[in-house]
Amino acid sequence: MDKPSPFFSNLKCRECGRLYPKQAIHVCDFDFGPLEAAYDYDAIRPVLTRAAIESRPHTMWRYRELLPIDGEPTVGTQVGFTPLVKADRLARALGIRELYVKNDTVNYPTLSFKDRVVSVALSRARELGFKVVACASTGNLANSVAANAASAGLKSYVLIPADLEQGKVLGSLVYGTNVIGIHGAYDQVNRLCSEIAGKYGWGFVNVNLRPYYAEGSKSMGYEICEQLGWRIPQHTVIPMASGSLLTKIHKAYGEFARLGLVENAPFAVYGAQATGCAPIAHAMKRGTDIVKPVPKPETIAKSLAIGTPADGYYAIHAMKQTGGSAEDVTDDEVVAGIRLLAECEGIFAETAGGVTVSCAKKLIETGKIPRDGSAVLCITGHGLKTQEAIAGKCGEPRLIKPSLREFEEHVYSKDTAAA
Amino acid sequence: MNEKQRLWLMFPTKLVTRPVLWELGRQFPVITNVRQASVTEEIGIVSLSLEGEREEIKKAIAWLEELGVNVEPVEINTIEG
């Protein structure tokens, strides 16, 4: 058993502020508000200096005093510190002075930002003594839990809707996890998962381990600040499913400013959703913080298709508080966004990345993000995971016989004429 | 055996003025306990704990859903992408 961390002090209700011990709990007993990790920043300030961080390995754990575990990380120790790419060609295409892409398409080991949250959740699960870990997921989260649990020697279960495509199931099965398909509607699967977590004492990364899991997202915000040369970006565009990533990047920027690691400069966060499932963006546009559920999401951006976003309310408040806003885009715009990012920067993103790029385009065109500003786009998963979304939409190869004459006639002469 | 379930209820506009929880208490032998609520002309959001026999809780939830109330366990968003 690890000695309690002197930095990570409690879990705390986001509604009423009541404090709870650092157990596998996630809801306040009094008002059912979500619990969140709380820290002793006065204890962290003298320890977590720029020099200390810079002396550590290039992983998300270089900010470990701000992550909710007691001892050393034991799962996903290589995760994070993905490239922050200065995207000059994409900046010109979108018409903004300066643009960066935070490229989590190359996050280790499963090519999505979920490896960040899973490494924290499973490291904490071990500290709390869980022998079995689980999640309910349709894609990236399942892959990440399966892979990270395998490398840590933890037994894992992945619960999926029974009708999920075979390709996505394979990305979890390969790691030797137990994949359970459940017949039933979305909310029935939800209820079953919460019952399983309670009854069998499993560590469900996004149920009873949720306060730990969610904090992993902050590392993306810390890395952005450090990689920009220790400053908070003026504008950050973030894809929203539950809205958790946006609220955690907002928290990360605030923590770095509070600790004096960056200047306390104004910044704004912007949320991106697909029109076929945009409960948070639509509430934001209506000027309310009441998020109406979307019973049947219809979009190719499946990793963002959460109809009842748990952190929607908090995401709206983060956007309002910073002067940001939200946008949503159609499936055609999602595909155009994927292609634009690939053609300009050589980065192949999954559909959520297309959502982020196309929403940024709209935010810049409408003046919500000023053209003379500097922005960061959070790209959260690799395009190889959602190839079906763009199949047949990127053109076809030109076919010729194996002869130089054919090449000259059908390729070279046409291309030089076009140039 | 008695058990307790923690739920978020979302009432659509047409049900905002109807005393739904009073009706539920009359029809099913379950204890209703409101822990947080926000009601506007457009929508009602209530966090509710239901205590009673498992089968009665199930029936009460089915009745709410039949009426048009959105019922989620407090652990919403269990399925992620």
Side-chain angles (χ1 to χ4, degrees), chain B residues 3 12 21 26 29 32 36 43 45 49 53 60 64 68 73 76 80:
Chain B
E3 66 174 71
L21 295 186
R26 309 254 308 182
T32 54
Q36 204 186 145
I43 198 168
I45 299 173
S49 131
E53 294 276 343
L64 284 167
I76 58 173
E80 291 203 11

Side-chain angles (χ1 to χ4, degrees), chain A residues 50 98 221-222 224-236 249-269 322 374-376:
Chain A
R50 287 185 188 179
E98 189 175 67
Y222 303 143
I224 290 170
C225 291
E226 183 182 349
Q227 289 168 317
L228 277 175
W230 298 105
R231 68 178 171 90
I232 303 173
Q234 290 176 317
H235 309 280
T236 309
I249 287 180
H250 176 245
K251 183 178 180 184
Y253 291 169
E255 286 179 328
F256 258 29
R258 181 173 181 169
L259 292 169
L261 289 165
V262 293
E263 192 191 332
N264 193 4
F267 67 88
V269 288
T322 60
S374 172
V376 173

Side-chain angles (χ1 to χ4, degrees), chain B residues 6-50:
Chain B
R6 303 181 296 187
L7 306 165
W8 282 106
L9 309 186
M10 201 162 311
F11 295 80
T13 310
K14 64 170 183 171
L15 291 177
V16 162
T17 56
R18 184 166 159 178
V20 171
L21 295 186
W22 175 79
E23 289 178 38
L24 182 132
R26 309 254 308 182
Q27 289 196 39
F28 303 95
V30 291
I31 300 167
T32 54
N33 187 354
V34 173
R35 309 305 294 270
Q36 204 186 145
S38 160
V39 182
T40 66
E41 283 177 11
E42 201 187 349
I43 198 168
I45 299 173
V46 173
S47 65
L48 180 78
S49 131
L50 277 185

Side-chain angles (χ1 to χ4, degrees), chain A residues 215-360:
Chain A
E215 285 286 286
S217 295
K218 293 193 305 184
S219 61
M220 198 177 199
Y222 303 143
E223 290 174 16
I224 290 170
C225 291
E226 183 182 349
Q227 289 168 317
L228 277 175
W230 298 105
R231 68 178 171 90
I232 303 173
Q234 290 176 317
H235 309 280
T236 309
V237 186
I238 304 155
M240 297 189 292
S242 71
S244 173
L245 179 62
L246 185 140
T247 63
K248 292 299 180 181
I249 287 180
H250 176 245
K251 183 178 180 184
Y253 291 169
E255 286 179 328
F256 258 29
R258 181 173 181 169
L259 292 169
L261 289 165
V262 293
E263 192 191 332
N264 193 4
F267 67 88
V269 288
Y270 303 80
Q273 293 202 296
T275 306
C277 184
I280 309 175
H282 288 164
M284 185 75 187
K285 285 179 175 176
R286 286 200 311 273
T288 170
D289 58 14
I290 294 175
V291 179
K292 276 192 190 166
V294 174
K296 286 202 174 75
E298 280 181 24
T299 169
I300 56 169
K302 294 202 189 309
S303 62
L304 301 183
I306 289 186
T308 50
D311 290 308
Y313 172 87
Y314 301 103
I316 287 170
H317 279 262
M319 289 186 276
K320 276 191 181 160
Q321 189 199 326
T322 60
S325 61
E327 198 45 89
D328 57 274
V329 289
T330 65
D331 283 358
D332 285 344
E333 290 171 308
V334 174
V335 173
I338 293 173
R339 293 190 60 181
L340 189 63
L341 178 62
E343 289 170 10
C344 289
E345 302 299 335
I347 295 170
F348 182 19
E350 64 153 359
T351 44
V355 170
T356 305
V357 170
S358 286
C359 282

